[in-house]
Amino acid sequence: MSTTKSKTNLHIVAYPFPSAGHIIPLLDLTHLLLTRGLNVTVLVTPSNVHLLEPYLSTHPSSLKHLVLPALVPDIKPSPPHKRFLAIVRALRDLHYPFLLQWFQSHPSPPVAIISDFLLGWTHHLACELKVPRLCFSPSGAFGMSVAFSTCRDPPKNNDPGEDINFLISFPNVPNSPTYPWWQIENFPDLEADPDWEFHRNSMLANLESWGIVFNSFASLESVYFDHLKREVGHNRVWAVGPVLPLEGDLIGSATRGGASSLPCHKLMTWLDARPDNSVVYVCFGSRAVLTSKQLKVLATALECSGVHFILCARVPDDQGLILNGFKDRVGDRGLVIKGWAPQVAILKHRAVGSFLTHCGWNSVLEGLISGVVMLTWPMSTEQFTNALLLVDQLDMAIRAGEGTENIPDSNELARLLVVSLDKSKPQNVRAKELSDAALSAAKGGSSDKDLDELIKQLADIKKLE
């Protein structure tokens, strides 16, 4: 992307949702804005300040940060989706008055707020402050289209406890996607719950915001960007991705997001000793914890397939013995990483030929840029939508599994692991085409131009003050 430094005197606030998978892409976007001469203050919670370090050292004068009050962990235990909703609402209650006071007392307050889509309430803060609010989506336009439709018209199932495969369709979304009930993010039991209502209103507030910025690129999801522009009633919907650094040191790619149990140089040495396109990288993200059944199927498939592999997965403490014996049996053919993995560095290595992924959007883009074939095994929420996009609409991935409901047979998964490394497969051709398209968009193409247009429109607002 362009790195032309021309001082704009624009000062904006960037407010990521306090989770690594949301913070890092917004920091990457912040990096791009800083290289174009903006001044940015990042809002960050105490436990996530360390994620800012490589960016602060790269932009010591134009990047500032404000440490927000920490959320006291007194949310009562509950099912995961209820707990998540309660946390999001508690963040609003804690941070809204703090930020209002900070803005109003600042000698040179920011002229705009860009905040994560899970922080839709910041639209109301921006309205009170009389500044534009940009919604940032670290997810794709397809996933957001489904999420917005779900919130506007929550799907119904008269017997969700029994009929989990009841089909839900979205005829108003392009390509009319259809999902079994268990794959849809919905909270039908919470319609009268204030936390659910707050979440729904926050999501809909994103549609009312001044603009929406996506970590995606136009040619990947063009039909969904056109759809969202119709939904919001204007053209201030920008596709500026992939925002992750594409060259150089990748803003500390070896330690991006955390520390690995296996040092990056040891990983690279192991990969250097492998032939081109011979390694399957397996990772289910930083949040998904594999069940005992999932882990046993995966370990058996990796063992029986005979492929070289790197496995990075969170497992329950009581399942450690499965991997201990597993590591002894596969020997030097595979590596097991506990904790965070230097995923970008791994995927860009010439020895890695395919990627078994949970289909989180960050992983999708990192795999796409690397040009590797993806095996999809989504675990929750918009990951199912991302898998549908990769397999059925882009023809660049192979479906392997779906959550805990569709766990593949270990023999079939072993076969797919081998197939994924076959460079003659059509998915390999499509993966390379889309990799080229992503790089072209980010290097002087549509994403570069969208980011320049976004900054121009913000500067025009500043001139009118």
Side-chain angles (χ1 to χ4, degrees):
M1 287 191 172
S2 168
T3 57
T4 303
K5 191 86 171 182
S6 57
K7 203 64 180 173
T8 65
N9 293 319
L10 281 176
H11 176 204
I12 68 169
V13 151
Y15 184 9
F17 184 76
S19 173
H22 290 249
I23 294 172
I24 292 173
L26 186 49
L27 289 179
D28 287 338
L29 174 59
T30 296
H31 168 68
L32 296 176
L33 295 171
L34 291 163
T35 61
R36 283 162 160 79
L38 276 69
N39 295 294
V40 183
T41 298
V42 175
L43 310 180
V44 62
T45 49
S47 62
N48 291 307
V49 172
H50 69 283
L51 295 174
L52 275 169
E53 291 172 1
Y55 303 86
L56 289 168
S57 62
T58 304
H59 306 282
S61 60
S62 52
L63 176 60
K64 309 296 181 186
H65 69 285
L66 174 67
V67 180
L68 298 171
L71 186 64
V72 179
D74 61 351
I75 306 295
K76 294 180 180 179
S78 59
H81 59 277
K82 289 189 179 184
R83 178 175 174 80
F84 172 76
L85 294 178
I87 288 173
V88 174
R89 191 180 185 200
L91 279 173
R92 190 281 308 265
D93 294 345
L94 181 65
H95 291 168
Y96 193 114
F98 179 86
L99 290 173
L100 185 64
Q101 191 277 330
W102 179 79
F103 264 87
Q104 292 174 339
S105 63
H106 198 289
S108 180
V111 299
I113 299 171
I114 181 166
S115 56
D116 192 279
F117 77 94
L118 290 176
L119 304 172
W121 56 266
T122 55
H123 165 67
H124 305 294
L125 172 67
C127 289
E128 186 168 355
L129 294 167
K130 295 181 172 57
V131 298
R133 182 256 172 163
L134 288 155
C135 166
F136 175 68
S137 174
S139 301
F142 184 16
M144 286 295 285
S145 296
V146 173
F148 286 144
S149 181
T150 301
C151 286
R152 275 185 166 171
D153 186 17
K156 306 292 183 183
N157 183 351
N158 293 330
D159 195 4
E162 293 295 327
D163 193 1
I164 63 171
N165 290 309
F166 178 76
L167 292 180
I168 300 295
S169 63
F170 292 86
N172 295 325
V173 175
N175 296 313
S176 300
T178 300
Y179 305 83
W181 177 258
W182 62 271
Q183 290 185 3
I184 296 297
E185 180 183 13
N186 60 77
F187 311 104
D189 58 324
L190 295 176
E191 288 187 355
D193 184 278
D195 290 336
W196 158 238
E197 204 56 37
F198 169 78
H199 169 74
R200 182 184 180 188
N201 290 334
S202 286
M203 286 296 293
L204 295 177
N206 291 322
L207 294 169
E208 301 171 10
S209 293
W210 182 74
I212 308 178
V213 184
F214 282 91
N215 183 20
S216 183
F217 58 99
S219 62
L220 185 70
E221 306 182 275
S222 59
V223 66
Y224 301 108
F225 287 118
D226 291 342
H227 166 71
L228 288 169
K229 288 175 182 178
R230 291 191 297 269
E231 286 283 287
V232 298
H234 56 73
N235 289 325
R236 292 187 301 275
V237 177
W238 293 282
V240 302
V243 296
L244 68 98
L246 304 176
E247 299 172 340
D249 67 356
L250 300 178
I251 307 292
S253 64
T255 56
R256 228 170 130 75
S260 168
S261 63
L262 190 63
C264 190
H265 72 274
K266 290 187 176 181
L267 264 172
M268 294 301 108
T269 298
W270 185 87
L271 284 169
D272 289 343
R274 268 72 200 163
D276 291 1
N277 303 308
S278 65
V279 176
V280 178
Y281 173 54
V282 182
C283 183
F284 292 91
S286 60
R287 302 184 69 84
V289 179
L290 297 185
T291 65
S292 175
K293 184 176 181 181
Q294 288 173 322
L295 182 59
K296 287 177 180 177
V297 165
L298 179 59
T300 301
L302 288 168
E303 183 178 348
C304 296
S305 68
V307 301
H308 299 283
F309 66 88
I310 295 173
L311 170 61
C312 178
R314 294 183 64 195
V315 299
D317 292 337
D318 60 353
Q319 299 302 321
L321 290 177
I322 294 176
L323 289 185
N324 287 339
F326 167 72
K327 286 186 285 186
D328 293 338
R329 292 191 299 274
V330 299
D332 194 43
R333 184 162 58 80
L335 290 179
V336 177
I337 300 175
K338 296 179 180 178
W340 195 272
Q343 182 160 291
V344 174
I346 291 171
L347 287 170
K348 291 179 74 69
H349 196 283
R350 56 157 185 82
V352 176
S354 66
F355 179 19
L356 175 54
T357 173
H358 70 308
C359 300
W361 192 249
N362 291 329
S363 292
V364 165
L365 290 179
E366 289 163 4
L368 193 151
I369 287 174
S370 302
V372 298
V373 169
M374 285 182 256
L375 292 164
T376 66
W377 193 342
M379 294 293 172
S380 64
T381 58
E382 45 90 25
Q383 295 164 16
F384 297 109
T385 297
N386 298 341
L388 192 156
L389 177 72
L390 293 174
V391 176
D392 296 334
Q393 297 183 21
L394 298 176
D395 298 320
M396 65 155 296
I398 301 168
R399 185 172 285 107
E402 293 176 315
T404 57
E405 295 297 322
N406 294 329
I407 298 176
D409 172 78
S410 58
N411 291 327
E412 173 61 10
L413 182 56
R415 185 188 71 82
L416 292 176
L417 292 171
V418 174
V419 165
S420 69
L421 296 174
D422 182 352
K423 302 311 288 184
S424 68
K425 288 291 183 183
Q427 288 87 355
N428 279 281
V429 176
R430 281 294 288 152
K432 181 63 170 65
E433 290 173 350
L434 287 167
S435 174
D436 292 342
L439 294 171
S440 295
K443 294 181 178 181
S446 61
S447 293
D448 222 11
K449 293 172 183 175
D450 263 22
L451 188 56
D452 287 339
E453 178 61 25
L454 163 60
I455 294 171
K456 177 183 179 298
Q457 292 204 32
L458 284 174
D460 289 344
I461 291 176
K462 174 67 175 174
K463 290 176 185 176
L464 295 175
E465 291 183 350

